[in-house]
């Protein structure tokens, strides 16, 4: 498998989160969901491929929208811990069963309540991109209680202009 070619730059993850949300405005409006963003103070930057990382965020937030009920709230939080930047996307949607949860990163796996659209590739690609960037991705979920996706990436001190 060929390695994707990344163009690495130091970015503020909050910018990327906002960009990803901007690309999803149609879905957000159609579903009537509210996206609430929380940032924990001074965030470190992340050295990443801007486009690849924005696509990961877009994919994770899009999943949260897709699997949420209409007019609910999705929480996107960004904070720093131990020189890492943690982005979490929390929805109160259908949730993923304990049986399906270990499989969500497998290529083409689609949960029983995943609905009709999508290839089942999103999280598998998201995990690959995050791992290529020295980070990790984890999901906690319970049926009927929603899902939290955590993206954890190595942080670098931002350049203060």
């Amino acid at each position: 498998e060929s390695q994707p070619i990344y163009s690495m730059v130091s970015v503020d993850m909050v910018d990327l989160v906002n960009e990803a949300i901007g690309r999803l405005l149609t879905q957000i409006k159609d579903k009537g969901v509210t996206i609430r963003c929380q940032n924990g103070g001074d965030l470190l930057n992340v050295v990443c491929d801007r486009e690849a990382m924005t696509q990961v965020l877009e994919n994770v937030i899009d999943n949260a929208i897709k699997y949420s009920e209409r007019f609910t709230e999705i929480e996107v939080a960004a904070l720093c811990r131990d020189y890492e930047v943690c982005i979490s996307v929390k929805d109160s949607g259908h949730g993923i069963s304990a049986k399906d949860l270990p499989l969500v990163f497998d290529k083409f796996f689609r949960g029983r309540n995943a609905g009709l659209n999508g290839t089942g590739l999103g999280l598998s690609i998201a995990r690959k991109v995050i791992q290529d960037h020295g980070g990790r991705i984890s999901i906690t979920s319970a049926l009927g209680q929603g899902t939290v996706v955590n993206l954890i990436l190595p942080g670098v001190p931002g350049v203060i202009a």
Side-chain angles (χ1 to χ4, degrees), residues 2-109:
S2 66
Q3 274 296 62
I5 295 162
Y6 293 114
S7 161
M8 304 297 266
V9 289
S10 178
V11 296
D12 178 334
M13 283 302 279
V14 175
D15 288 350
L16 298 198
V17 166
N18 290 332
E19 193 172 319
I21 291 168
R23 294 181 188 186
L24 292 164
L25 289 178
T26 308
Q27 292 90 314
I28 291 165
K29 221 169 69 191
D30 288 351
K31 201 82 179 255
V33 294
T34 303
I35 308 260
R36 208 176 52 172
C37 294
Q38 289 182 309
N39 306 328
D42 291 336
L43 276 181
L44 292 166
N45 279 13
V46 169
V47 173
C48 66
D49 181 294
R50 202 186 164 103
E51 181 54 32
M53 199 54 69
T54 304
Q55 281 175 4
V56 166
L57 291 165
E58 189 182 347
N59 177 262
V60 170
I61 297 167
D62 186 37
N63 278 346
I65 296 167
K66 219 181 275 178
Y67 301 129
S68 286
E69 299 301 325
R70 294 178 68 75
F71 311 119
T72 54
E73 194 172 81
I74 292 164
E75 202 177 286
V76 182
L79 57 104
C80 272
R81 252 200 326 255
D82 307 328
Y83 297 104
E84 291 183 318
V85 176
C86 312
I87 308 280
S88 70
V89 178
K90 178 178 193 259
D91 67 58
S92 50
H94 313 306
I96 303 163
S97 73
K99 197 168 135 216
D100 284 353
L101 200 54
L103 306 171
V104 292
F105 293 112
D106 296 353
K107 274 189 183 166
F108 307 118
F109 174 76

Side-chain angles (χ1 to χ4, degrees), residues 6 52-53 56 124-134 153:
Y6 293 114
M53 199 54 69
V56 166
S124 147
I125 292 168
R127 183 173 66 175
K128 166 111 175 73
V129 171
I130 295 286
Q131 287 175 343
D132 286 348
H133 285 77
L153 291 153

